[in-house]
Amino acid sequence: MKFPFKKVLVTGGAGFIGSHLIEALVAEGCQVTVLDNLSSGHISNLDSVIDYISFCRGDIRDLPTIEEAARDCEAIFHLAAMVSVPQTVERPLESAAINDLGTLQIFEAARNNNVGCAVYISSSAIYGDEPQSPKHEGMNPKPLSPYAVHKLSGEYYARLYHELYKIKTTSLRLFNVFGPRQDPSSPYSGVISIFMSKAIAKSPPTIYGDGNQSRDFVYVKDVVKACLLAAKAENTAGIAVNVGTGSSLEINRLWEMICQITGVKIKPQYMSPRPGDILESVADLQRAKSLLGFEPEYSFEKGLAHTFEWYKRNR
Ligand code: UD2
């Protein structure tokens, strides 16, 4: 099925995931407006598409700016957020203003501009440390951080905006996303981006805890595919859907694989576990498969190989 929307808005489009999504939308022939305040994204992430998009530097806390960016759009992909969980623990009010109220403003701008479709990027964080595994969408949410509370409230707004105003909203609960352009510069960056840059620099990584904790690592191109499927889907309005791979990998094994691919042999340093770190996180993909027709295309090894190529070129 051809992509049904011509003019679309992507919030947070200069970020890691957003920039990959925009490349795909441009390839689909869409006119893309990007709204990003560049607080964590980089304009250089958009180098390959900058001549084909309209870039608006602005903040989702500012409703008139969003209204302007959303004008005449048929669909919105809402990715802009304060993305670091520990940052939201330190600054819960700022997180609420961005991740909660900012999200509500996106839906409100959609309503005011008659935008018919919105894809909202949520997170597996909403499951918290619920021990049941794999995590399925019918489970009770157990948010453990302001980030998770705000992502969950975004999902509730998404559902409300479908029920009250008939906007076709879908929430995607992303598991651990990795790939080219993920920024390794903060201690709270994704573990793969940190381990890659450590391996390339030939320095030992830190593993928090015993390294037996595991994660469902999904390659960014598969996340993009899920976003496009969600925009096209007819049967996901008001619903939240997991996006992962359905398999998990232990952090110790992850470092071994990164050593293999980068050709280094370095022992990791171990430190005490991070407070609140969850032991096992893996997505149940039944809903994604049945409602979106989503099936991840990239094996972990293939995704890691592409990621390595990028970090080598851009270290
Ligand atoms: C991810 C998301 C977060 C939220 C959460 C939901 C990222 C960056 N964060 O947090 O936004 O959605 O999932 O539960 O995707 N680790 C090390 N050494 C390091 C860095 C990390 O051992 O240098 C461990 C860390 O303790 C954890 C695992 O690797 O057990 C994954 O860490 P992460 O920060 O990549 O992601 P996570 O799952 O904490």
Side-chain angles (χ1 to χ4, degrees):
M1 179 188 174
K2 211 181 147 336
F3 195 68
F5 306 108
K6 187 81 192 145
K7 197 159 185 292
V8 302
L9 170 65
V10 180
T11 72
F16 156 52
I17 302 172
S19 61
H20 287 275
L21 173 62
I22 290 164
E23 285 173 353
L25 289 167
V26 169
E28 292 281 352
C30 294
Q31 286 172 33
V32 184
T33 301
V34 177
L35 177 64
D36 199 305
N37 66 359
L38 299 180
S39 61
S40 57
H42 305 282
I43 196 80
S44 60
N45 284 341
L46 295 170
D47 277 353
S48 67
V49 286
I50 198 74
D51 294 339
Y52 308 101
I53 61 170
S54 156
F55 183 80
C56 167
R57 185 168 183 172
D59 201 297
I60 59 166
R61 285 168 287 192
D62 180 31
L63 186 57
T65 300
I66 310 171
E67 297 267 6
E68 176 69 30
R71 190 153 304 141
D72 302 326
C73 285
E74 297 157 288
I76 299 180
F77 294 85
H78 176 39
L79 287 76
M82 182 189 257
V83 288
S84 154
V85 175
Q87 229 177 22
T88 73
V89 173
E90 274 163 34
R91 289 151 40 200
L93 291 179
E94 193 182 345
S95 167
I98 300 167
N99 294 349
D100 185 320
L101 191 58
T103 296
L104 179 57
Q105 298 204 129
I106 295 293
F107 291 130
E108 189 57 10
R111 175 164 89 109
N112 295 341
N113 284 278
N114 298 315
V115 179
C117 169
V119 176
Y120 168 60
I121 297 303
S122 181
S123 164
S124 61
I126 65 107
Y127 293 116
D129 62 357
E130 178 58 59
Q132 199 181 330
S133 193
K135 315 285 189 216
H136 67 82
E137 296 88 341
M139 285 165 60
N140 278 338
K142 221 172 149 191
L144 296 174
S145 61
Y147 177 81
V149 169
H150 300 147
K151 283 289 168 187
L152 190 59
S153 79
E155 290 190 7
Y156 288 139
Y157 292 137
R159 195 175 75 197
L160 274 182
Y161 271 72
H162 166 60
E163 284 171 3
L164 296 176
Y165 311 115
K166 306 297 167 226
I167 300 173
K168 192 176 76 70
T169 55
T170 306
S171 299
L172 297 180
R173 291 180 180 167
L174 306 190
F175 280 67
N176 289 62
V177 188
F178 74 102
R181 300 194 202 119
Q182 191 170 27
D183 188 349
S185 60
S186 128
Y188 303 115
S189 303
V191 64
I192 293 186
S193 68
I194 296 176
F195 281 11
M196 262 305 164
S197 46
K198 291 283 182 191
I200 288 169
K202 297 194 177 10
S203 65
T206 301
I207 291 185
Y208 300 107
D210 60 11
N212 292 328
Q213 70 270 38
S214 58
R215 293 292 185 273
D216 185 333
F217 292 107
V218 55
Y219 188 60
V220 65
K221 298 278 186 210
D222 278 327
V223 171
V224 166
K225 182 168 117 174
C227 290
L228 299 186
L229 287 169
K232 288 193 261 191
E234 299 292 345
N235 49 1
T236 56
I239 288 179
V241 185
N242 285 343
V243 179
T245 66
S247 323
S248 62
L249 188 72
E250 290 180 356
I251 300 304
N252 283 327
R253 179 72 193 123
L254 171 68
W255 176 247
E256 283 170 17
M257 290 178 77
I258 289 183
C259 283
Q260 256 164 25
I261 200 170
T262 54
V264 301
K265 224 177 174 176
I266 299 170
K267 286 216 177 313
Q269 294 169 340
Y270 286 86
M271 278 177 64
S272 39
R274 276 184 181 169
D277 211 18
I278 40 178
L279 227 56
E280 195 184 356
S281 173
V282 60
D284 180 315
L285 284 189
Q286 274 182 34
R287 188 180 280 184
K289 284 179 185 169
S290 63
L291 295 187
L292 297 180
F294 173 73
E295 195 75 63
E297 270 172 38
Y298 285 79
S299 66
F300 181 71
E301 289 78 3
K302 188 172 161 193
L304 199 63
H306 286 294
T307 306
F308 175 47
E309 284 309 313
W310 187 84
Y311 280 92
K312 244 188 340 191
R313 279 199 314 272
N314 294 278
R315 68 179 123 171

